[in-house]
Amino acid sequence: MLHLVSVGGLSLFGAVAATAAAAAAASTSNCSSAPVTLHLPDAPYDNFFYSDCNTAVQVVVTTPQPDSDLATISPRFIAAWPAGNSGIAAYFAPQDGANNGSLSIQIVNSTVGSPLAAIYRDDSSGSTPYFGVTGTLRFNSSASLTTPILGSIRTIRDFTEGASVLQPQIQDAIQASSLPDGGAGLQRLWLDNVTTTHLNFTPAATNGSVTIGDDNQTLNFDAGDYIFAAEFNYPQLTQLSPAQVLSNSSASLIQNDPERTAALSFLSYSNKLLAGAWRFLTYFGRDSMISALLLEPILSKGENSATEAVIAAVLERLDRVDGSVCHEETIGDYATWLNQGAGVVSTDPQYDYKMIDSDFYLPILMNQYFVQNSVGRSRTNSFSSITAGAINPANTNLTYGQLAVINAERILGLAAPFAGPDNQTQANLVHLKDNEVVGQWRDSADGIGGGRIPYDVNTALMPAALRAIASLSRNGFFTSSSSDWSSLADEYAQVWEDETLAFFRVTVPQSQAQQLVSTYTQTIAFTGPNQIDSIDGDVVYHALALDGSNNQSQVLVMNSDDCFRHFLLSNSNSNTNTNTTTDQTQLTLFVNQTANNIRRTFPAGLLTDAGMLIANPAYGTDPSYVENWTTGAYHGTVIWGWPLAMMAKGLEQQLGRCNQQGQQPDFCVDTVVYNNVKQAYNMLWDSIEANTAQLSQEVWSWVYNSANESFVATPLGVMAPPPGQSVQTESDIRQLWSLTFLAVTRNTTFGSS
């Protein structure tokens, strides 16, 4: 169920003092256009979005369902802002001592909001105004607000996804105070000694009341309706409207697909695009670049465009010392806390450079824009000459062009050892950074099974980045670099493209594969068919990584990461003027094995009624595979939206190569292989189209319904976490890179079923 509503310009001025708060009063907004709101139910979570000319905010209310695991699901209210990656979380419990499943909380339409309205009021000191949101919260029984968190989404994430630890320095600053009309509120002064967050509740009727607990940090409520007001005085971001995010030629999407374009707008700002709502309302380099690559046909181009916002955001945050791309920024209250922990009194952002895959997306994206797009080509000189701003103080004296060169030099330096004569050894592949256990998109603790040498980085991202550097160099982008980068990078790319797959290739003989799948099915007590009859030959796939845990030379988990190579190295998305694959035998085997693994249903392959799985551990013999890749694991036997989009687009591009005159790969004339790939493409799209309700989410899981003999899509947050993980990771209701289906659509040239 989905509601898209444009409401009138109702705003709320909550007159709140530092020690007490007065009653809020409605007033006309100063915005010239009506705000946009989204209501996205996804039980047990109910999501509301509000954005206008002043602010953007997401509110999430959690109410346990009859089948909820009360160890992981509890009544909760969250307000999350992109500005400062800021947030409020309030956990509730029934006052009568009953279990959490007896307490229901919900946001209801009222005279205050339909269901939400904005707060915007000037601060009496003349500093930053207060921004926020108000609405009516309904309790079905008496309740207590037991745990408040005010300040940063990162602080909330640490509590919800970690060991439920809260920092006394942050929590002890929360204070409660009484309000007029029987209300009460919580407030906290941030560590910057400037910003204050308020969360206030006022009874909507005369028979309700809010009282303060003995600890002066908790609140007690009678059953009934309460007007809440959540606000803080922190500078807001400049949001891009749907019309500003999309190209002129794609403007019809605003009317034809209003929900997804509104969600894309909510995550898009003038100086960066955000990864997801609510947990990742900040810059993530990998996420924004993958999104821009897949959204390219519809994303706005030119000065002040969404495309340039993505590229500029990455360059601004680049590590000028070694050319690494920032994975995640830490801003706002959490940055101040980290700085204090390091003995520094500062509100400056902090940048995370532990990932290795992010580095390679930058030249790929720049080549797509500054070489392959006519608008981008016209912007090359102007964009390259822009000097980095104050986002990252370390880069303020460097131009975007200089920062791009630093990144390219890093990639060429990493590529050189493996590309050298007779140097194609495992030791010369790209490894995770020292002392890091994650480094690419499967960045949970067991995402790549402890592997040190990731599959996607070495077989796809490195050669694609090298192709892009060669193309950018040929087209004069690196004006200050050596003129031989075009030939050198292409030479390196060919070696990496042709020689890396063999290190990761896994071949399981048919009989052994059938036995492994049969045993795995029994081990996990899977109630569906084991699908071993579909294993009609040797099973071939590529390991997630090399040098895994428990002395595993290869991490033996079938996976969806073939999509990177199909999308980034297919000729129709080429970064060079020649056919990018000279090893035709390898290409034929590669596209065929991908098709086989997509066509086969889990547990024999990757396909389910709920979508294509990102991992299938059935072919691994170590017990850790069953334990770590589960339906409740963040990177387990689950479905992510964007790999569906990248695989679909990648297979389309591979099939499209067969229509190119004079450049057809050998697999195009192999009828068996070509038809196999085409069938896999259509089966994948059938699955995608059957799960449109989930596609814009970050990740979802499944349960098997024996009665219907089907896999049923299920929110990840309600699944039991893997052994040893006490708290389940919650999925974002809207994720930037999952919105790429706005641009990735089925190509009926290759059939519709």
Side-chain angles (χ1 to χ4, degrees):
M1 179 180 179
L2 179 149
H3 304 283
L4 176 67
V5 185
S6 291
V7 297
L10 185 64
S11 181
L12 188 75
F13 291 77
V16 185
T19 58
S27 178
T28 303
S29 169
N30 62 350
C31 297
S32 60
S33 58
V36 174
T37 70
L38 291 175
H39 178 205
L40 302 174
D42 186 35
Y45 310 107
D46 209 5
N47 297 266
F48 302 84
F49 293 81
Y50 182 101
S51 58
D52 63 16
C53 69
N54 293 314
T55 190
V57 61
Q58 178 185 2
V59 174
V60 187
V61 173
T62 307
T63 293
Q65 304 298 294
D67 59 350
S68 291
D69 179 0
L70 299 182
T72 58
I73 303 296
S74 60
R76 185 191 67 185
F77 167 94
I78 281 180
W81 291 270
N85 195 28
S86 308
I88 294 172
Y91 286 82
F92 297 91
Q95 280 195 46
D96 59 10
N99 66 51
N100 283 339
S102 68
L103 178 59
S104 169
I105 60 176
Q106 61 183 125
I107 292 177
V108 297
N109 289 337
S110 67
T111 56
V112 176
S114 302
L116 301 178
I119 294 172
Y120 175 78
R121 64 182 181 86
D122 290 324
D123 182 62
S124 58
S125 66
S127 57
T128 303
Y130 277 86
F131 303 92
V133 67
T134 185
T136 299
L137 197 64
R138 175 171 294 168
F139 298 95
N140 71 326
S141 63
S142 59
S144 295
L145 195 169
T146 58
T147 305
I149 306 172
L150 280 67
S152 173
I153 291 176
R154 280 291 301 275
T155 303
I156 300 172
R157 280 174 50 199
D158 285 352
F159 182 76
T160 61
E161 299 170 13
S164 299
V165 174
L166 293 171
Q167 302 300 326
Q169 183 183 8
I170 295 174
Q171 288 303 107
D172 292 349
I174 298 175
Q175 298 180 347
S177 57
S178 297
L179 304 177
D181 301 323
L186 301 169
Q187 65 180 35
R188 173 179 167 259
L189 177 66
W190 286 17
L191 297 173
D192 63 6
N193 292 317
V194 173
T195 308
T196 301
T197 299
H198 299 110
L199 177 60
N200 303 319
F201 295 93
T202 303
T206 57
N207 61 344
S209 69
V210 189
T211 58
I212 299 172
D214 293 338
D215 59 1
N216 204 41
Q217 288 192 339
T218 58
L219 303 177
N220 300 310
F221 301 81
D222 294 332
D225 292 357
Y226 295 84
I227 298 171
F228 69 86
E231 65 172 9
F232 69 138
N233 56 333
Y234 190 86
Q236 303 293 290
L237 301 176
T238 301
Q239 185 178 2
L240 300 180
S241 69
Q244 292 172 312
V245 175
L246 300 174
S247 63
N248 292 337
S249 61
S250 302
S252 61
L253 287 170
I254 299 172
Q255 297 298 321
N256 297 336
D257 202 337
E259 184 271 305
R260 287 194 294 183
T261 53
L264 179 60
S265 171
F266 183 84
L267 296 173
S268 301
Y269 296 84
S270 61
N271 63 353
K272 59 184 172 182
L273 271 60
L274 313 181
W278 61 272
R279 293 166 49 248
F280 301 126
L281 285 176
T282 191
Y283 161 94
F284 281 77
R286 175 203 306 127
D287 300 55
S288 59
M289 287 187 285
I290 287 179
S291 301
L293 287 166
L294 287 166
L295 286 167
E296 191 275 337
I298 67 167
L299 214 58
S300 60
K301 316 292 192 301
E303 189 174 8
N304 300 320
S305 67
T307 300
E308 292 196 11
V310 171
I311 300 173
V314 175
L315 291 169
E316 290 274 0
R317 294 163 177 81
L318 196 81
D319 184 343
R320 66 179 296 166
V321 175
D322 71 356
S324 294
V325 164
C326 171
H327 164 58
E328 178 184 4
E329 68 176 0
T330 301
I331 57 178
D333 189 57
Y334 203 86
T336 309
W337 179 70
L338 289 180
N339 288 330
Q340 288 188 6
V344 179
V345 179
S346 172
T347 60
D348 285 349
Q350 292 200 6
Y351 300 109
D352 175 0
Y353 296 104
K354 66 173 172 283
M355 297 296 169
I356 60 171
D357 62 340
S358 302
D359 303 342
F360 302 98
Y361 291 111
L362 179 56
I364 298 171
L365 179 59
M366 289 194 304
N367 182 67
Q368 184 187 72
Y369 182 56
F370 294 113
V371 174
Q372 296 176 342
N373 183 271
S374 60
V375 175
R377 286 196 299 272
S378 70
R379 289 281 298 154
T380 297
N381 293 335
S382 298
F383 185 88
S384 298
S385 63
I386 294 173
T387 301
I391 291 175
N392 181 3
N395 291 339
T396 52
N397 64 336
L398 293 176
T399 66
Y400 287 173
Q402 290 171 323
L403 290 164
V405 167
I406 294 172
N407 170 255
E409 288 173 339
R410 171 177 179 78
I411 293 169
L412 289 165
L414 290 170
F418 186 85
D422 301 320
N423 276 2
Q424 290 74 56
T425 65
Q426 182 169 313
N428 287 328
L429 293 171
V430 179
H431 293 57
L432 299 188
K433 294 184 178 181
D434 292 342
N435 303 315
E436 297 291 352
V437 297
V438 296
Q440 46 87 265
W441 84 270
R442 298 172 186 262
D443 53 0
S444 55
D446 297 304
I448 56 172
R452 305 298 303 168
I453 307 172
Y455 167 52
D456 60 333
V457 172
N458 284 279
T459 66
L461 296 179
M462 173 63 91
L466 290 167
R467 295 289 186 196
I469 291 170
S471 176
L472 287 164
S473 182
R474 270 193 301 275
N475 287 275
F477 187 88
F478 299 119
T479 55
S480 62
S481 65
S482 174
S483 60
D484 65 356
W485 273 9
S486 58
S487 57
L488 179 67
D490 258 341
E491 290 170 5
Y492 284 2
Q494 200 66 60
V495 177
W496 280 86
E497 186 169 345
D498 288 347
E499 303 296 335
T500 51
L501 275 182
F503 289 94
F504 298 86
R505 187 177 297 117
V506 179
T507 301
V508 186
Q510 180 181 0
S511 59
Q512 182 185 1
Q514 291 174 330
Q515 181 59 51
L516 286 171
V517 170
S518 178
T519 300
Y520 170 74
T521 304
Q522 298 171 33
T523 302
I524 65 172
F526 180 61
T527 58
N530 61 25
Q531 303 290 343
I532 62 172
D533 290 343
S534 67
I535 302 175
D536 51 3
D538 294 350
V539 172
V540 181
Y541 65 95
H542 292 85
L544 272 179
L546 308 180
D547 286 352
S549 301
N550 302 332
N551 296 315
Q552 298 286 313
S553 60
Q554 295 176 310
V555 179
L556 300 176
V557 176
M558 182 184 288
N559 59 84
S560 60
D561 285 2
D562 290 355
C563 67
F564 291 99
R565 193 167 168 106
H566 290 306
F567 176 62
L568 297 174
L569 290 175
S570 57
N571 198 45
S572 58
N573 193 42
S574 174
N575 298 304
T576 181
N577 294 325
T578 60
N579 192 313
T580 61
T581 300
T582 56
D583 191 333
Q584 291 296 314
T585 300
Q586 179 171 259
L587 175 61
T588 299
L589 293 172
F590 184 67
V591 297
N592 196 51
Q593 62 89 27
T594 298
N596 287 337
N597 297 338
I598 290 175
R599 287 191 305 101
R600 292 181 180 134
T601 300
F602 178 84
L606 297 174
L607 195 64
T608 75
D609 302 307
M612 179 188 67
L613 304 180
I614 64 163
N616 177 1
Y619 298 99
T621 56
D622 191 277
S624 64
Y625 293 121
V626 174
E627 295 173 1
N628 294 332
W629 283 275
T630 70
T631 56
Y634 194 49
H635 294 105
T637 51
V638 297
I639 304 100
W640 286 63
W642 72 264
L644 295 176
M646 185 177 285
M647 183 68 83
K649 192 63 180 179
L651 291 181
E652 177 188 347
Q653 291 176 169
Q654 293 288 6
L655 290 168
R657 300 170 77 174
C658 299
N659 296 329
Q660 296 175 359
Q661 296 296 323
Q663 293 186 349
Q664 289 186 343
D666 289 355
F667 80 85
C668 298
V669 295
D670 186 325
T671 304
V672 173
V673 174
Y674 178 81
N675 288 337
N676 194 30
V677 176
K678 187 167 71 170
Q679 182 183 9
Y681 175 78
N682 285 298
M683 291 179 71
L684 177 63
W685 265 109
D686 289 345
S687 177
I688 290 170
E689 291 172 350
N691 289 279
T692 54
Q694 285 76 43
L695 292 182
S696 298
Q697 298 182 27
E698 178 189 12
V699 52
W700 62 97
S701 188
W702 54 270
V703 294
Y704 191 79
N705 187 323
S706 297
N708 296 329
E709 298 183 344
S710 63
F711 299 80
V712 180
T714 305
L716 177 65
V718 306
M719 304 296 289
Q725 181 179 319
S726 59
V727 180
Q728 180 54 282
T729 298
E730 188 177 325
S731 173
D732 286 336
I733 187 67
R734 288 296 176 264
Q735 196 79 358
L736 178 65
W737 54 16
S738 297
L739 294 170
T740 52
F741 281 105
L742 281 164
V744 178
T745 57
R746 190 172 197 156
N747 188 332
T748 56
T749 301
F750 307 117
S752 58
S753 63

